[in-house]
Amino acid sequence: MALSSPQGLRQRKAANDESGDSGARFKGESGQSEKTRRQAHEEVVWGQTPDGEVFRVPTTHDVLTGLFHPRYPKSHLDILNLSLLGLQLVLFYILPRPTAKVFFLFYFAFWRAAYDAGLGWVLTKQSKRKWMVREIQRLGWLDEKRNPAARDWIRAQLQGKMGKDYSFDELPLEYNTWLLFRQLVDVILLNDFLAYCMFAFTCFRVPEGLSFPVHAMRWIGGVALVVFNLWVKTEAHNVVKDYGWYWGDVFFQRGALVFDGVFELAPHPMYSVGYAGYYGLSLIIGSYPVLYVSLAAHAAQFAFLVLFENPHIERMYGERKPIALRKPISVSETKKIQKVNRSSQFLSSVEDNADQLSTPAATEGESATDTETETECEGKASGTLSSYRSTQPILLESTISQHDLHHKYFRRDVVILHNIDLLRSSDAMLALLLIYVVLGSSLPVLSYHATLALHFAHACAWCMFHSFGLGLLLRAQSKSKYLVRHFLKHYHYPSRDHGDGAVQEAFTNWKALYNISLCMTYTSLTSLAWQSYTAPVAWFEGDALLCHTLGALLIALHVWAAMESFEVLGVFGWFYGDFFMEDFPAHLEYTGIFRYLNNPELMSGASFLGLALISGSKLVGMLAVIKFMSHWWFLQTVENPHMRKLYGDSLRKDAGFVKVIKSVASKNARLLESRAGRHAPEIRRVAKEVKGTFDKVFEETADVVEEFLARSKPRISEVMQETKVLLQQSRERLVITRVARDLSSYDTTKYKISIVPSQSGDKRFHIGEPIKVNWQAPARHSRRDWIGIYKVGANKSTLVTKISSVGLWVPVHGEEWDQDTPIDETSRITTLGKEPELGVVSFEGSTLPWTIGQYEVRYHHDGKYNVLSLDGPCEVYVSKPASLDLTSVRECLAHIVPLCLDSDPDLIPLSCGGTQEPADTDPAVARDMDDFSFWSEQQAKRICYVIKQAFGVEYAPDVVMADANLTALANRILVSKQLLVV
């Protein structure tokens, strides 16, 4: 990730991205004038603190130059760093090897924990609450009046490390805190690196039983990985510079994220391929302990990435996007749609329209990530704009959006075993198939060799069917709509359906068939590997442990690639939706793992190869080759032709990884040709002949296989029915009560709270309506006090609360809390004088009770459960319609839904006062007046809770998100009430 500055923070035209880091280095033509160079050096990088203060970012120097160059002054932290590094070298030479091995193992573990756990914890607190800056302010380290000695010491440490453009007094507190934190990071990083190297060197050995070529390849591969590691780190630093290297955006802002350079080679290169040197050194050292310590350290680094870095990036740069937002599809995206002008179906009564209501099945709903990555799931032609009339309730087909299309084709589809529901016939069939494979593997009835042969034939059959059988079916669907034609021929659909039912049923059955085949392929493979597996007698002799380790890593690589692919493709791409649905716009974006690879699904062979290494079976290895060749045939014969047909010139030729490799190979080829001299033409001729031979063999093999499968392709026909049952369980969470022991020093009579009356003037609040509470506390009260809301009678004691608030609480001083955890471990007392402190807190959103009943509020002391004051009861109720007709139900929902959506104008319907976007003024693309959306699924759950209490019917959140319209939801409630009448 590189950093591009926002407007107003950087004044420059062209130069290095980091003129404030490592000096300003400019590359230009030899004829560049001295005046131009001087102007370039005068350009400035600007930073901005969270408070909005803009400042000039001074020049910084890299750590190695500042630490080891004799001309640079050394701070006390530099001296500490050099002393620790020197101590490691001394201990390495004086300690016996067995002792040194144990010492440096724990010493490296200490520094690795300081890096990943220590820095991760500190940076997370700084990212969320600016904790480091607040602590320095609280301790007064940079305050000349409160702590002049500490300020002078820090000033001396920082000024000696900076250039002439650095002014300690003029720069903001955030920048100086970052510089101080940076020196701490240097101590940790350098000692972590050297401790690992010392541990590795103490484990050095020459593996026995290996030939000279193997030793040579081991050293060449190890050195290559180490060099590659250094190159990745160097290139990454050239992109992010010191600002990104030392997490500067946690302290101040200097730009937005831009992916460039080595960041196009692999995801998170500094944390992924940037640790290739660990494994290179493990190869050189020839030690399993070094390998496993490297794996553990690398895993810890990924934990740092997942637990700190990614959440921080999301907080800093992420953009929250609403769920279930109906954005009409533009005309340019709907050229392929053949059915545009459908006649609207007018419904004069609930009885007449009961069988015509559009009732999307429960779906998972879209998340912000889904919206960003599933870029192919867009678009259908605009239909008739829906409307609402109070005198004659009608329901018209609304303008088609990506949201409607998503819920039209996807209904909690099973991905591997995710979303499995045994009450659906397709899911039950999947479970039975898996059970028969597992039981068949555990109950052998044949001889060993016969059983092994049977398992191989079984796994091979599923592998061939998954690639060739389903491949031929998909190719027929691409060329002649084979599956859709089949369902149109054999099954009846309503005349007004326009064939949509056939497409949906064909695609539904395809998804079930594909997922069953996928599960059976890998289950049968695992069974074969299990049958052929024999545990090693001596794990540390030969290559047994290495094969198990490499096999596990290959399996993990496949799992990671599959997860990354699904994150980008979503259910639409995972199930090859573009083979069936023409109304989705043909649009490609290469994001996620597809930024680096065009066909990451080829990594599916990695698990086959991994199991072959673990089991040591030639049959599993043969199956791995068959899997790779069959999937390669699928790509070349089925997927790639369809992609070219559908997306045309928008398909790229080479992925990011291939481009980087080709670029490096091209440079090396030119270098080789320049050194080959007169033999260069002969080398090129041989290379072309070899390439042509491989291409010819592949084409001939593909033709033979294709001809064979064309003669024996199966005919697939299944009829499946889906049912759905909603189960909801509720439980009351008890807590281990924490009670304060210092209440004797507080006057509890001076604590008071009172519920502010609602708009109606009493203490009756409609469910979802904010509840405000006035509080009063003496001057010396704990800043960690909090107020909770509970049902009346849930707590028998008025002195101590023994029931968990289940999130229904608000802090008296919000700045003292980090979500549910106090920022400071020790209690802090306010000292505002003798007068009592007054304030108001508000229960809103997730802190509100979403169940009707009588409630009370309780004031608690110091983050514990001692009750200092309480007030109540207050009633939480829900309004119900006077009669069950569309007008009354819709009006009731028009009051309920905005409250459940926190009255956010960006989410609530336009008919309820929502924010109108400029596009909504265009009748051709304007969204329905009753449409609403969500920030999270939790808001949809609230609507479900309230609907159950107001109307007596239950829905899953997915159903509400699928409707996301007041009129549609009102119709659904009326139909449900009619169907549920006993």
Side-chain angles (χ1 to χ4, degrees), residues 894 898 901 903-918 920 927-933 966:
L901 299 177
S903 300
D904 191 329
D906 294 329
L907 302 179
I908 65 177
L910 296 177
S911 57
C912 298
T915 302
Q916 188 173 25
E917 298 181 359
D920 296 329
R927 67 185 179 103
D928 192 287
M929 296 289 291
D930 282 352
D931 284 346
F932 54 88
S933 54
L966 293 179

Side-chain angles (χ1 to χ4, degrees), residues 589-610:
E589 283 190 10
Y590 294 97
T591 58
I593 193 174
F594 287 87
R595 183 192 304 273
Y596 318 104
L597 300 172
N598 281 342
N599 298 299
E601 58 268 28
L602 278 174
M603 292 187 184
S604 61
S607 60
F608 282 69
L609 184 58

